[in-house]
Amino acid sequence: MHNLWIPFVAILAVAGLIFGGQAYSKAQRDAHIAATIAERLDSNAPAEISRLARVNKGYGVCGDYALPSAEFGRFYYNSATERLSLGTDAPLYRDNCAGVSD
């Protein structure tokens, strides 16, 4: 019976590492996007991002942003190239987020 505990604990540990790593990576990505938006708009405080939608097989993120100064809008961020587009008029936003954030 003790021999069954070792594989069970090992499987739980590996699953925890995988899912924990993914959650941590997603949180880092979101924090990076918020800081990049704030930097682009010359804000001292990071932007608050919401209504995130993964696009382009997970390489892109569409969503909304809001700054403490009451400025708000929509964005597209490409995780592979780290390119950020702000506003619905931006070509990258139109090409990747059309119909996603409606």
Side-chain angles (χ1 to χ4, degrees), residues 11-87:
I11 290 170
L12 284 179
V14 169
L17 288 172
I18 291 171
F19 293 115
Q22 288 177 345
Y24 180 73
S25 176
K26 184 178 175 183
Q28 274 188 317
R29 181 204 64 201
D30 293 352
H32 177 71
I33 292 171
T36 304
I37 291 171
E39 181 181 319
R40 174 84 57 89
L41 298 174
D42 293 326
S43 174
N44 293 330
E48 181 179 324
I49 57 176
S50 60
R51 294 179 44 175
L52 302 178
R54 291 175 49 185
V55 295
N56 299 338
K57 299 180 182 178
Y59 289 107
V61 178
C62 298
D64 296 343
Y65 71 88
L67 293 173
S69 63
E71 183 176 351
F72 61 92
R74 293 189 173 162
F75 72 89
Y76 167 74
Y77 180 79
N78 185 314
S79 299
T81 62
E82 296 189 355
R83 290 183 65 190
L84 173 69
S85 294
L86 298 176

